[in-house]
Amino acid sequence: LGLAVIFGMLNVINFAHGALYMVGAFVAWLLLTYAGVGYWGALVVAPLVVGLLGIALEKSMLSRLYKLDHLYGLLLTFGLALILEGAFRHQYGVSGQPYPIPDALKGGQNLGFMFLPNYRAWVVVASLTICFGTWFAIERTKLGAYLRAATENPTLVQAFGINVPVMVSLTYGFGVALAGLAGVLAAPIYQVSPLMGTNLIIIVFAVVVIGGMGSILGAIVTGLGLGLLEGLTKVFYPEASNIVVFVVMAIVLLIKPAGLFGRER
């Protein structure tokens, strides 16, 4: 979702998204290890820290590239991803750090046909709430209308007294804060590792491409649908679970190159 927000609003292909997702998970782990701040506090603090880091990166580097080809933004964010991953790998190694599930979400429910861990159920509910809340804010509110207008005609929007550069910085910060939040949600499920973002970013890009680059609703619907498809594939045909997303992407791009919810330009 954060990747779709950043591309849809700013036309930046943010390859650093996976690394910032990893940073979010590490901030949660560091808060618990060194400050005694638990999971619920990390859900608030980690996205703020990652968002502020994103704003700093946007102000100091990305803002210089908006008038250039998309390739420059891709190369810059790819370099930033390597730097962040390398820094955490140097400091903490490649072995993962365990992050405990909060006591309130331990255990699970027997649904008859499956056993659903309480924490997994919480992640599903929280993710859907955040996703559709973000979609509503961008597509159905005055602030979202200003933001969409600023991406189309920043000079005109600035003439109405709106500070477009600040709005753009906050949008990038919000997009990467979503990645940081996802890192906190993922920390108890996967071990906190410098490689966790690298393992995810290619799948994330495939989801966004299938849904339509820049489409908020496309990212939500496609992410949910492909997550279910990959899970079912792991059950019935495990050998294909690693490639099913890319097979779907190839088919979609052959039929509709702009993606399922994308618009031809």
Side-chain angles (χ1 to χ4, degrees):
L1 176 64
L3 197 65
V5 168
I6 290 170
F7 184 82
M9 300 293 103
L10 310 182
N11 286 324
V12 172
I13 302 172
N14 187 40
F15 213 92
H17 215 70
L20 291 164
Y21 155 84
M22 174 270 295
V23 171
F26 260 103
V27 170
W29 179 78
L30 291 169
L31 285 170
L32 181 64
T33 305
Y34 296 105
V37 177
Y39 175 82
W40 302 108
L43 280 177
V44 177
V45 177
L48 287 175
V49 171
V50 176
L52 290 172
L53 174 61
I55 290 172
L57 294 174
E58 192 279 335
K59 280 290 188 186
S60 60
M61 301 181 197
L62 276 172
S63 60
R64 305 170 188 272
L65 304 180
Y66 290 142
K67 295 182 180 179
L68 301 179
D69 189 274
H70 293 330
L71 181 62
Y72 290 94
L74 173 61
L75 291 172
L76 173 64
T77 55
F78 179 68
L80 289 172
L82 293 178
I83 291 170
L84 287 170
E85 182 185 310
F88 278 88
R89 183 187 285 185
H90 174 75
Q91 184 68 29
Y92 300 104
V94 295
S95 59
Q97 311 290 341
Y99 190 87
I101 293 174
D103 292 337
L105 297 174
K106 289 181 178 178
Q109 306 297 323
N110 189 347
L111 303 181
F113 64 95
M114 67 172 289
F115 182 82
L116 179 64
N118 289 336
Y119 186 76
R120 298 265 181 165
W122 151 251
V123 170
V124 171
V125 173
S127 299
L128 287 174
T129 302
I130 293 163
C131 284
F132 285 104
T134 301
W135 171 82
F136 182 84
I138 292 175
E139 298 292 338
R140 294 289 184 269
T141 66
K142 185 180 289 188
L143 178 62
Y146 286 152
L147 183 56
R148 296 196 309 276
T151 61
E152 296 292 332
N153 195 331
T155 305
L156 180 62
V157 173
Q158 198 143 5
F160 284 99
I162 296 170
N163 193 325
V164 173
V166 169
M167 184 178 288
V168 168
S169 297
L170 291 175
T171 301
Y172 186 81
F174 174 72
V176 300
L178 288 174
L181 179 61
V184 180
L185 291 173
I189 300 175
Y190 313 103
Q191 288 193 319
V192 179
S193 161
L195 302 179
M196 63 189 296
T198 303
N199 298 335
L200 189 71
I201 190 65
I202 302 301
I203 297 290
V204 170
F205 265 103
V207 169
V208 174
V209 168
I210 293 168
M213 288 295 285
S215 171
I216 309 301
L217 185 61
I220 296 169
V221 174
T222 307
L224 179 61
L226 289 177
L228 291 171
L229 178 62
E230 186 179 13
L232 290 171
T233 306
K234 285 180 180 178
V235 173
F236 295 107
Y237 190 31
E239 296 84 354
S241 62
N242 291 328
I243 65 168
V244 64
V245 172
F246 302 104
V247 171
V248 173
M249 182 176 72
I251 294 171
V252 169
L253 292 180
L254 283 171
I255 298 171
K256 193 175 181 186
L260 296 176
F261 293 83
R263 285 177 283 188
E264 301 284 352
R265 297 192 179 189

